[in-house]
Amino acid sequence: YYKTSFGSPNIELTQIKSNQASVSIPDTVTCDNGRTYFVTSIEEAALTGNRTVKTLVIGNNVETIADHAFYQVHALESVTIGNRVTRIGAEAFLHLKRLSSVTFGTNLQFIGKRAFAGDDALSSLTFGNMLDTIGPGAFKNDIHVTSVKFGDRIQTIARNAFRGNVSLTSVTLPD
């Protein structure tokens, strides 16, 4: 389901109903009126509670992922985040026990509070050069993360961002 503002060329993804194993959020959507819109945001609880989606690909026009957007999508194993995403909201991917792979887009700047906390299967994290802020507890209790590599612009790693990551042995910071 989508919503748009009158006259706007952009559209927001509000809810995904799927029983498929793989979901791709498109760059654009053409509506019944024949007009094509850019999919620029994923709203709160867009896929929350889904039990079938294992693979998620977020389109390259999406700029923001709202709080709780993919909370408790229990089967989710792999996420590819589009290159235009600049912000991932609080608890957007919270408690995804099977999530083992996240590919972060090149323009990501902000990761919110507890965005990926409790994602037990993650093992390594590599961030692009645009990321400057990681919120409190963003990766808290991701117990299998062994390595984290930050890009050139990292400025803020908030309190408890990696608390409880008992397997973390390698952190690479910019010079």
Side-chain angles (χ1 to χ4, degrees):
Y1 299 99
Y2 298 93
K3 71 177 180 179
T4 187
S5 299
F6 181 75
S8 173
N10 301 327
I11 200 164
E12 300 168 358
L13 177 63
T14 59
Q15 189 175 29
I16 302 168
K17 295 280 188 182
S18 179
N19 60 1
Q20 303 297 311
S22 181
V23 168
S24 291
I25 296 171
D27 295 338
T28 60
V29 171
T30 302
C31 293
D32 292 340
N33 64 5
R35 188 166 179 194
T36 299
Y37 296 90
F38 296 102
V39 181
T40 57
S41 67
I42 301 169
E43 295 300 303
E44 189 167 337
L47 193 62
T48 293
N50 179 287
R51 298 197 182 280
T52 59
V53 175
K54 292 181 179 183
T55 303
L56 176 66
V57 177
I58 297 172
N60 281 320
N61 285 329
V62 174
E63 297 170 1
T64 59
I65 299 171
D67 299 350
H68 310 106
F70 302 103
Y71 175 71
Q72 292 187 340
V73 181
H74 295 291
L76 195 58
E77 298 171 358
S78 173
V79 175
T80 301
I81 297 172
N83 286 329
R84 278 196 163 164
V85 172
T86 60
R87 182 184 192 286
I88 297 174
E91 300 181 349
F93 295 91
L94 180 68
H95 295 306
L96 305 182
K97 303 295 184 192
R98 295 182 180 152
L99 184 62
S100 61
S101 172
V102 178
T103 302
F104 294 98
T106 56
N107 287 311
L108 183 61
Q109 298 171 21
F110 176 87
I111 298 174
K113 178 180 177 182
R114 295 173 25 121
F116 291 89
D119 294 352
D120 293 348
L122 285 176
S123 62
S124 68
L125 302 167
T126 300
F127 302 108
N129 286 332
M130 299 301 287
L131 183 66
D132 71 10
T133 302
I134 295 179
F139 296 91
K140 183 178 178 181
N141 295 327
D142 291 352
I143 60 172
H144 291 104
V145 170
T146 58
S147 66
V148 179
K149 182 178 180 184
F150 294 99
D152 295 338
R153 294 183 76 183
I154 191 69
Q155 296 292 315
T156 303
I157 301 171
R159 182 180 175 135
N160 297 323
F162 295 93
R163 182 178 183 180
N165 291 17
V166 295
S167 300
L168 186 59
T169 58
S170 173
V171 175
T172 305
L173 295 166
D175 295 331

